[in-house]
Amino acid sequence: MINVMDHLKSYNEALWINPNFKPFSEATSVIDKLPVHFPTLSEIEDADARLRRFAPFFEAAFEETKASNGIIESPLVSIENYQKSVITFIGGRILGDWFLKADSHLPIAGSIKARGGVYEVIKFAEKVALEAGLITLSDSYDKFLSEPVKAHLSKYSIAVGSTGNLGLSIGTISRALGFKVNVHMSHDAKPWKIQMLRDRGANVILYDSDYSKAVEEGRKMADLDPYCHFIDDENSLDLFTGYAVAVLRLKEQFAKIGRLIDEDHPLFAYLPCGVGGAPGGIAYALKLIYGDAVHVFFAEPTHAPCMMLGMSTGKYDAISVNDIGLDNKTIADGLAVGRPSKLVGRVMSPLLSGIYTVSDEKLYRMLYLMAESQKLSLEPSALAGAIGPIKLFYDTPGFNYLKDHNLLDKMENCTHLSWATGGNLVPEEIMKADIAKGQNSDLMTL
Ligand SMILES: *Cc1c(COP(=O)(O)O)cnc(C)c1O
């Protein structure tokens, strides 16, 4: 039995299996007792419909969404070559077929934040425009590019706290709709992300401290302004619901390639986790749609394992990685969060199979392997999910999980899904340097 706390405190990698995990039918009754109403399947479908209403606007405002008729979606990619390339580093095979969900290549924001972030902003825009009588539900929503609508929306502002990608997503979509936007950024935000945001017309406010502080300051400033909508990454159900829509589309993508998912053909999903909103919304919808046929794991950096700390201690957002002496400094800027979302921790308690941590060194190594074997350029955060199957097969708690859930003889038929959360907007010279770092690494095992 590993002691999770000892591993966390010493920056060692760990795999925590969630003792509160329940069969899906029992999990739902636990969730129903929470003081928050989480979206039903039909509410997630409503969110999907809202995004589709905006398709004519997306198509007109963002060139790169033309090919998909204004639907913001990412490809599902087989990563067979990567699956082979890791054998050298683990001295064995991974059973099952391994896929990547390439949110790294989502239009508009080049990261998973193009889901939740875009969704919350368009929902607010729709509400404001409907209330002003400037649109109706049956209009073509390219009307959002017309002068009267834009002029009205420009009276409002959007505010958000971010380590980088959420700000990029919210900043970009808000400006396209005519909103003013204030992005409160933590010290770990990458300079190129700050520059890109400013170029796109957002007001960026920088803090010397970490992400939680940036959120807090953003919330305070927004509270003073009745025309400001604050996007609360730690508590927002709209963000959560926007992320959940991904799974409706994923289900279609699996069906299209004839990939069977059921209890005899299980799905294992590995989701990089920062504050928890994105992986939380997706994990929740995965369970809603696939029930006990899906097993969900979160992935965090060893320097910022906030969700593992919060869930394993049962303290959720009442504990931060700084409280156990960790520095919250990681190359995975999208995951550099010290305190997890309370909203997500509690709903994940009966649903999540487990959480593992991964070192920055391995993130670089996998970044290189992914670029080399699959020609896919991902940012470091996005690689956290790309070690999941290895943890499951080659780490004792993972293997025990498979054994305890009678999964060992089903692994030949299983689907592994690593959620690649960002990468497409990384400037070429930075991507090259990151790939070189992974290539030159001395690391011989994964
Ligand atoms: C934000 C982000 C995540 C995690 O999402 P959270 O909602 O913060 O948990 C993962 N990867 C990347 C690249 C991100 O930007």
Side-chain angles (χ1 to χ4, degrees), residues 108-109 168-169 171-172 175-176 195-202 425:
I108 300 178
L168 255 184
S169 166
T172 306
R175 291 303 296 143
Q195 192 53 49
M196 191 177 284
L197 256 175
R198 288 187 167 145
D199 292 346
R200 291 179 177 186
L425 293 186

